[in-house]
Amino acid sequence: MPDQNSGRRAELLDLAAELFAEHGYRSTTVRDIADAAGILSGSLYHHFDSKESMADEILRGFLDSLFGRYAEIVELGLGPRKTLEAIVTASFEAIDSQQAAVAIYQNEAKHLTKLERFAYIETRNTEFHRLWTDLLTEGIADGAFRPDLDVEVVFRFIRDTVWFAVHWYNPKGSLPVEEIAQQYLTIVLDGIATRRRPAKRRTDG
Amino acid sequence: MPDQNSGRRAELLDLAAELFAEHGYRSTTVRDIADAAGILSGSLYHHFDSKESMADEILRGFLDSLFGRYAEIVELGLGPRKTLEAIVTASFEAIDSQQAAVAIYQNEAKHLTKLERFAYIETRNTEFHRLWTDLLTEGIADGAFRPDLDVEVVFRFIRDTVWFAVHWYNPKGSLPVEEIAQQYLTIVLDGIATRRRPAKRRTDG
DNA sequence: GTCTATAAAGTGATAGAC
DNA sequence: GTCTATCACTTTATAGAC
């Protein structure tokens, strides 16, 4: 295995990530990746052990950086509502800056976790579940969120909507990522129906 | 091609749908399908032209029934809010009764549309987009929905959350599909944040 | 309606030359 | 770091017997 920090290596990994994201892990052949890089398929094995190793490296890097960011946010102790807003915003920023990795995580995680080497995905999913249900439970307890909601349903609802945006978000589109995050937060927090008092309200700090 | 209504044919199609949904279209081999049916792979070709034909038949059947149901709802002329509720509920019912087909639609449509024979998926997507944006625009115009929302963002938000439920919905779970649909509607319409007037409100008919 | 047998193409990966 | 050459295996699909 050559230098882990080689520029060429990172280049190839980026190409692989884009192809995995666009066509799916399974449908992308090592020949496709090599073609995109302008080399032959055999040459890829100078940089990586296997196709699986490439996906592994892409997902590991993405999840480490994402959960590092989440940990930073939680440590700020902003209270349930502001923490929720920050976590959602951070997730949209990840979609913006690491779109391919997010798409792979979305599309392939379920199947890859079956393989031992990808067991850390399950660990991260559990961590994510814990983060959200704690946050929602705390928010319900202190009056920030409605008490009549099923925490599990809300968790999945938020998780799904946030990550699914990766499928249509266009980094070059007219809507900047901050604005989309804001729109999502508005819907999740306040709903789409009209209300008698449209003013912003704040129950927590 | 044998009788289109043969019981065996439908049986094989159901098996294929479950495997495509569970492991992905690409990862499911014709051998897998034949194994599940207790026959050899070659025998499948007595019933179907190709693996692609199987996916085609599954998706066509699903989309036809779903859009038939949508058309029925729209024709009732219930007004924006009640129509939205009915469409969301109908979609959850589809997840309940045709889980495999919905999962295939979710996971594979993007790639399959590239093939000419699956062009009708794009047509349906356009139809779906039209249905929702009309509904939301109408609802904003008559005061049922908030005027400060981007119709496109809300459309994608609802579409994604509703269909994504197929990934975790368990037909044998404790929450009946009607209740999940209701929870989703509550979140989408009213948000998860507390409000000063928690009472139900109705702006349209 | 299923099986036997097999073709034809694609796929992940390796060994060694340059 | 890339290429040449190639292996071992998988996959879709076909032809004809039973």
Side-chain angles (χ1 to χ4, degrees):
Chain A
M1 185 78 50
D3 177 13
Q4 293 274 341
N5 299 320
S6 141
R8 183 60 168 154
R9 187 190 174 76
E11 223 174 288
L12 294 171
L13 213 53
D14 273 359
L15 283 172
E18 265 163 53
L19 289 169
F20 290 159
E22 173 75 15
H23 304 292
Y25 172 73
R26 190 82 193 209
S27 294
T28 303
T29 70
V30 292
R31 279 176 180 76
D32 291 336
I33 301 169
D35 281 356
I39 59 179
L40 291 185
S41 64
S43 306
L44 270 183
Y45 291 85
H46 174 71
H47 302 275
F48 304 97
D49 283 345
S50 65
K51 180 180 162 183
E52 222 176 84
S53 294
M54 295 187 223
D56 188 14
E57 225 169 292
I58 292 163
L59 285 174
R60 241 180 237 284
F62 161 65
L63 288 173
D64 285 352
S65 81
L66 180 71
F67 278 80
R69 182 81 189 98
Y70 285 168
E72 281 173 22
I73 291 169
V74 169
E75 271 172 29
L76 294 175
L78 301 170
R81 172 145 176 161
K82 278 204 171 283
T83 300
L84 180 147
E85 290 180 4
I87 295 280
V88 168
T89 303
S91 304
F92 273 95
E93 281 163 359
I95 291 175
D96 188 45
S97 64
Q98 302 183 70
Q99 193 163 18
V102 175
I104 296 166
Y105 173 60
Q106 262 274 310
N107 297 327
E108 321 289 351
K110 182 188 156 199
H111 299 297
L112 292 176
T113 353
K114 291 169 197 157
L115 307 173
E116 268 186 52
R117 81 182 300 169
F118 290 100
Y120 61 91
I121 296 176
E122 267 304 303
T123 311
R124 292 303 197 182
N125 286 345
T126 306
E127 219 177 313
F128 195 68
H129 177 263
R130 180 66 187 272
L131 171 69
W132 273 104
T133 48
D134 282 0
L135 185 56
L136 291 170
T137 305
E138 205 186 318
I140 289 172
D142 86 350
F145 306 137
R146 297 166 48 181
D148 59 328
L149 293 168
D150 184 311
V151 168
E152 289 297 326
V153 171
V154 175
F155 156 64
R156 291 184 289 228
F157 183 93
I158 295 178
R159 177 197 60 187
D160 298 349
T161 43
V162 167
W163 291 129
F164 214 80
V166 75
H167 292 299
W168 53 262
Y169 173 68
N170 175 8
K172 289 165 190 155
S174 57
L175 283 178
V177 71
E178 295 82 9
E179 193 164 323
I180 292 178
Q182 199 46 59
Q183 288 260 350
Y184 264 55
L185 281 170
T186 301
I187 300 174
V188 169
L189 291 167
D190 297 336
I192 68 168
T194 44
R195 42 176 64 186
R196 299 217 209 280
R197 307 181 96 269
K200 284 182 185 167
R201 78 225 63 73
R202 238 356 182 314
T203 321
D204 66 331
Chain B
M1 186 76 52
D3 177 13
Q4 294 273 340
N5 299 320
S6 140
R8 184 60 168 154
R9 187 188 174 77
E11 222 174 289
L12 294 170
L13 214 53
D14 273 359
L15 282 172
E18 264 164 53
L19 290 168
F20 290 159
E22 173 75 14
H23 306 292
Y25 172 73
R26 189 82 192 208
S27 294
T28 303
T29 69
V30 291
R31 278 180 180 76
D32 292 335
I33 301 170
D35 282 356
I39 58 179
L40 291 186
S41 64
S43 306
L44 270 183
Y45 290 85
H46 174 72
H47 303 274
F48 304 96
D49 283 344
S50 64
K51 179 179 162 183
E52 223 177 83
S53 294
M54 295 186 223
D56 187 14
E57 225 167 294
I58 292 163
L59 285 173
R60 242 180 237 284
F62 161 65
L63 288 173
D64 285 352
S65 81
L66 181 70
F67 278 80
R69 181 82 189 97
Y70 285 168
E72 281 174 19
I73 291 168
V74 169
E75 271 171 32
L76 295 176
L78 302 170
R81 171 143 177 165
K82 277 204 172 280
T83 301
L84 180 147
E85 290 179 5
I87 295 279
V88 168
T89 302
S91 304
F92 273 97
E93 281 163 1
I95 291 175
D96 189 45
S97 65
Q98 302 183 69
Q99 191 162 18
V102 175
I104 296 166
Y105 173 61
Q106 262 273 309
N107 297 328
E108 321 289 350
K110 183 188 156 199
H111 300 296
L112 292 176
T113 356
K114 291 170 197 157
L115 307 173
E116 268 186 53
R117 83 181 299 170
F118 290 99
Y120 60 91
I121 296 177
E122 267 304 303
T123 311
R124 291 302 196 182
N125 287 345
T126 306
E127 220 177 312
F128 195 67
H129 178 263
R130 180 67 187 272
L131 171 68
W132 273 103
T133 48
D134 282 1
L135 186 55
L136 292 170
T137 305
E138 207 186 317
I140 289 171
D142 86 351
F145 306 137
R146 297 166 48 180
D148 59 328
L149 293 168
D150 185 309
V151 168
E152 289 298 326
V153 171
V154 175
F155 156 65
R156 290 184 290 227
F157 183 93
I158 295 177
R159 177 196 61 186
D160 298 349
T161 43
V162 168
W163 291 129
F164 213 82
V166 75
H167 293 298
W168 53 261
Y169 173 68
N170 176 8
K172 290 166 189 154
S174 56
L175 284 178
V177 71
E178 296 82 10
E179 193 164 322
I180 293 178
Q182 199 47 57
Q183 288 260 350
Y184 264 54
L185 281 170
T186 301
I187 301 174
V188 168
L189 291 168
D190 297 338
I192 68 169
T194 43
R195 40 176 65 188
R196 299 218 209 280
R197 307 182 95 268
K200 284 181 185 169
R201 79 225 61 72
R202 244 351 185 317
T203 322
D204 66 332

